[in-house]
Amino acid sequence: MAGSGGIGSGDGRGAALLGDAPSRNRADDVADSGDYRAPAWLPGAHAQTIWPALVAPRPAVRYRRERWEAPDGDWIDLDHAIAPDVPAEGRSSRPLLALFHGLEGSSDSHYARTLMAAALARGYDGVVIHIRGGSGGQHRKPR
């Protein structure tokens, strides 16, 4: 609902979705506060969109792929971000953050890797869900 608060509303409530863990660096503090100001050297929305895709380092995130067979004969891939210090049996008790990427995105996209790394650092598990071929390979159905 528009204007109801939550993620991106600037009221600070969206930050609670990623836990109450203390910030690890200044970028986290700015993102959590809702008071983002673009750096002087990177003005404009277009430059801020292009810069991370082309220049910013991508965090190293390991994934485990799971494939779900769909009732219509096609498939859906899920790439689970793996926290190296959490044993497999401990993952089921952690909150899960799911990312549905855009048409040209994938689990290797800069924003997916950054979001999954941030989720893992805050004690969440993460999964990138591919429903339209973002995981590579040709789907069986022509849609």
Side-chain angles (χ1 to χ4, degrees), residues 1 5-6 10-11 16 19-20 30 41 50 55 62 64 75-76 79 83 100 102 108 112 119 129 132 140:
M1 176 183 278
D11 66 2
D20 296 326
V30 172
W41 57 270
I50 294 168
V55 180
R62 290 184 37 230
R64 177 184 54 81
W75 46 266
I76 298 169
D79 285 344
F100 293 84
D108 193 43
I129 302 168
R132 292 289 179 249
R140 299 177 194 133

Side-chain angles (χ1 to χ4, degrees), residues 16-126:
L17 293 176
L18 285 180
D20 296 326
S23 295
R24 288 170 176 76
N25 61 43
R26 184 177 179 284
D28 288 341
D29 293 338
V30 172
D32 289 346
S33 73
D35 295 327
Y36 175 75
R37 291 188 200 347
W41 57 270
L42 193 62
H46 295 298
Q48 293 168 31
T49 299
I50 294 168
W51 183 82
L54 299 179
V55 180
R58 293 177 188 215
V61 177
R62 290 184 37 230
Y63 292 106
R64 177 184 54 81
R65 175 143 307 156
E66 177 181 4
R67 179 164 284 184
W68 290 350
E69 294 294 328
D72 67 355
D74 219 331
W75 46 266
I76 298 169
D77 280 344
L78 294 89
D79 285 344
H80 296 270
I82 298 172
D85 57 340
V86 178
E89 61 273 1
R91 292 187 193 126
S92 63
S93 64
R94 293 163 47 109
L96 179 66
L97 176 73
L99 171 64
F100 293 84
H101 60 75
L103 290 175
E104 295 295 321
S106 73
S107 56
D108 193 43
S109 297
H110 68 281
Y111 60 87
R113 286 189 170 273
T114 301
L115 184 60
M116 292 298 111
L120 293 173
R122 288 176 170 81
Y124 282 65
D125 282 333

